[in-house]
């Protein structure tokens, strides 16, 4: 039998941020481009759509009219999943019936008045305005005494259940710290207690030394595919210095984050020459009034596509029953993405 190596043989990788494992099966993906490479024709959208509920001046489902905004715009979600007017209540019957009321609020944030743009097609200055809005919302929502966590995220593309192509994201602010950030908080705290340093910055330094999974770097941020990535093109954007939450970003760092967001999403769109779907968001310190020196804010991107514009990875079977699994290694995905043109495919001659 040949000697074990990570490029050829089945193995498991550990995610120290969540204490979970991923099964990697690289022998099944020696040639990731074997599958179809069908192009999807994308309808050109107008800059303004009179039927879009996010365009400036249009009426939303609840009858409210959007202002004639020229930059970013946020409003309370008309169909909020978590609301503020919930009476407090609890069920605690032995080991089996635990439930608790949850208060919070949900907002929608429009990235641009232009219906036809997406983040990778926006100017860095415009994306910087989006980051500024994230900061403002994080501060305002987090300041409510009952709000302990503010989840900022973006769902892009129909395949992710996004209801409208107008560039937008969402924010859910709530009483509890939800599971994903809570898992990280636990792991970050353990690491911080043990080493007196933050886990993510140490991890970033280790990745910068290895270089295999780095996608791009700018002055203040690094884009990479994590060692333990589950989705074929999963990625993270990590700050070079310890920053617990986005309010600590300097003006130059805010611009750099906007630049990194653009660089990564241009790469994404260029993989298959389509507007690349994903769910993405920020994980950062809770707003529970406590100090969080263990937290390093970062962005995570979970795109579902596998090997073409239409062939997506399914999280089914073994993944539902046992562990997430991937074929193409994170190193192969990173190498492939690094080779892509830096210019968005729509602007390539
Ligand atoms: P998604 O595209 O990720 O579904 O986000 C759009 C949100 O916009 C969605 O949560 C809200 C939906 O509830 N919405 C409004 O708040 N007002 C409307 O008029 C339509 C949709």
């Amino acid at each position: 039998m040949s000697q074990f190596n990570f490029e050829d043989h089945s193995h498991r990788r550990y995610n120290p941020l969540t204490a979970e494992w991923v099964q990697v099966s690289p022998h099944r993906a020696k040639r990731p481009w074997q599958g179809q490479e069908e192009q999807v024709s994308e309808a050109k959208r107008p800059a303004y759509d009179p039927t879009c509920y996010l365009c400036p001046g249009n009426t939303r489902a609840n009858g409210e009219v959007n202002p004639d905004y020229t930059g970013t715009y946020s409003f309370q979600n008309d169909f909020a999943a978590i609301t503020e007017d919930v009476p407090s209540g609890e069920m605690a019957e032995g080991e089996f019936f635990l439930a608790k009321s949850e208060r919070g609020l949900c907002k929608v944030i429009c990235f641009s008045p232009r219906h036809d743009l997406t983040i990778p097609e926006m100017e860095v200055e415009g994306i910087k305005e989006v980051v500024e809005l994230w900061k403002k919302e994080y501060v305002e929502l987090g300041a409510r005494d009952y709000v302990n966590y503010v989840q900022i995220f973006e769902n892009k593309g129909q395949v992710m259940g996004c209801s409208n192509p107008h560039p937008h994201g969402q924010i859910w602010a709530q009483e509890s710290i939800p599971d994903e950030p809570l898992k990280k908080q636990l792991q970050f705290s353990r690491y911080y207690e043990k080493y007196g340093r933050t886990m993510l910055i140490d991890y970033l330094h280790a990745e910068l030394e290895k270089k295999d999974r780095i996608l791009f770097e700018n002055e203040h941020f690094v884009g990479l595919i994590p060692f333990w990535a589950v989705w074929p093109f999963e990625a993270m954007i990590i700050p070079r210095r310890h920053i617990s939450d986005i309010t600590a970003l300097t003006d130059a760092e805010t611009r750099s984050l906007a630049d990194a967001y653009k660089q990564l999403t241009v790469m994404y769109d260029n993989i298959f020459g389509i507007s690349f779907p994903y769910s993405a968001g920020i994980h950062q310190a809770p707003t529970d009034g406590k100090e969080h020196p263990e937290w390093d804010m970062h962005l995570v991107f979970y795109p579902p596509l596998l090997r073409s514009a239409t062939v997506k990875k399914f999280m089914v079977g073994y993944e539902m029953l046992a562990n997430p699994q991937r074929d193409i290694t994170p190193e192969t995905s990173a190498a492939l993405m690094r080779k892509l043109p830096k210019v968005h495919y729509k602007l390539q001659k």
Side-chain angles (χ1 to χ4, degrees):
M1 216 196 267
S2 59
Q3 219 177 355
F4 172 79
N5 73 70
F6 290 98
E7 283 93 58
D8 296 316
H9 301 128
S10 157
H11 61 277
R12 276 154 64 86
R13 294 190 187 196
Y14 180 64
N15 180 346
L17 271 58
T18 59
E20 291 165 333
W21 292 83
V22 52
Q23 166 66 40
V24 186
S25 311
H27 53 288
R28 295 213 313 186
K30 286 276 92 178
R31 293 168 57 199
W33 299 107
Q34 275 173 318
Q36 318 94 293
E37 279 197 47
E38 70 269 49
Q39 290 290 318
V40 176
S41 64
E42 295 181 308
K44 202 173 171 324
R45 297 201 302 275
Y48 167 76
D49 177 351
T51 66
C52 166
Y53 60 79
L54 297 178
C55 275
N58 291 358
T59 306
R60 297 206 307 273
N62 71 346
E64 260 181 62
V65 178
N66 296 328
D68 280 322
Y69 67 95
T70 54
T72 55
Y73 169 58
S74 65
F75 62 90
Q76 287 228 18
N77 196 315
D78 303 316
F79 307 97
I82 314 176
T83 56
E84 286 203 286
D85 55 359
V86 174
S88 149
E90 198 166 355
M91 182 187 207
E93 292 174 20
E95 297 282 342
F96 305 124
F97 304 101
L98 303 177
K100 206 172 158 304
S101 55
E102 183 72 7
R103 278 206 293 164
L105 72 168
C106 303
K107 297 188 83 166
V108 179
I109 60 173
C110 301
F111 296 161
S112 159
R114 289 269 304 267
H115 184 78
D116 56 340
L117 294 183
T118 56
I119 291 286
E121 297 165 280
M122 286 170 64
E123 300 292 336
V124 171
E125 279 313 306
I127 304 172
K128 185 175 174 234
E129 281 186 42
V130 175
V131 182
E132 297 289 5
L133 182 59
W134 289 344
K135 286 192 203 174
K136 182 172 161 282
E137 294 288 352
Y138 177 85
V139 171
E140 282 178 17
L141 296 170
R144 297 179 193 228
D145 56 356
Y146 77 88
V147 169
N148 292 317
Y149 193 76
V150 178
Q151 183 57 61
I152 298 170
F153 65 98
E154 180 193 357
N155 250 351
K156 180 168 172 258
Q158 268 178 351
V159 69
M160 299 310 290
C162 179
S163 62
N164 187 328
H166 192 114
H168 69 282
Q170 295 194 45
I171 304 179
W172 294 19
Q174 64 186 100
E175 241 174 313
S176 305
I177 304 177
D179 285 352
E180 287 302 308
L182 194 59
K183 283 185 236 168
K184 290 186 178 179
Q185 161 133 336
L186 198 66
Q187 292 299 100
F188 285 168
S189 298
R190 282 189 184 142
Y191 191 93
Y192 189 77
E193 274 161 32
K194 189 166 172 191
Y195 297 104
R197 299 187 307 269
T198 56
M199 180 192 270
L200 211 53
I201 298 300
D202 278 4
Y203 170 62
L204 178 64
H205 291 154
E207 283 289 18
L208 285 169
E209 239 169 67
K210 287 197 182 287
K211 297 193 175 69
D212 305 349
R213 285 166 294 273
I214 303 295
L215 295 174
F216 61 86
E217 297 180 44
N218 70 17
E219 198 184 342
H220 304 104
F221 286 88
V222 178
L224 56 80
I225 300 199
F227 180 72
W228 51 81
V230 166
W231 297 93
F233 298 101
E234 179 175 330
M236 291 173 85
I237 296 177
I238 305 176
R240 287 186 189 274
R241 72 172 178 103
H242 162 63
I243 300 176
S244 296
D245 68 70
I246 47 171
T247 61
L249 293 172
T250 64
D251 191 58
E253 285 167 341
T254 306
R255 194 177 190 288
S256 278
L257 180 54
D259 171 70
Y261 195 2
K262 182 172 170 107
Q263 284 202 53
L264 178 59
T265 52
V266 167
M267 271 184 168
Y268 274 162
D269 279 11
N270 286 346
I271 296 178
F272 300 123
I274 50 142
S275 181
F276 203 68
Y278 58 72
S279 276
I282 310 172
H283 277 157
Q284 57 185 327
T287 54
D288 54 2
K290 297 183 189 138
E291 289 287 310
H292 284 287
E294 75 281 11
W295 262 97
D296 288 310
M297 59 83 53
H298 58 281
L299 270 61
V300 287
F301 291 77
Y302 303 130
L305 292 185
L306 176 61
R307 68 170 84 89
S308 79
T310 55
V311 178
K312 76 192 245 302
K313 172 181 176 53
F314 289 103
M315 283 286 195
V316 296
Y318 180 83
E319 331 216 271
M320 291 181 104
L321 277 292
N323 261 161
Q325 183 272 343
R326 64 180 294 141
D327 293 345
I328 180 175
T329 63
E331 298 72 50
T332 306
S333 296
L336 193 148
M337 284 176 73
R338 277 195 301 265
K339 282 199 208 110
L340 295 167
K342 302 283 173 273
V343 178
H344 193 265
Y345 71 90
K346 286 190 187 166
L347 301 175
Q348 289 167 24
K349 300 264 154 59

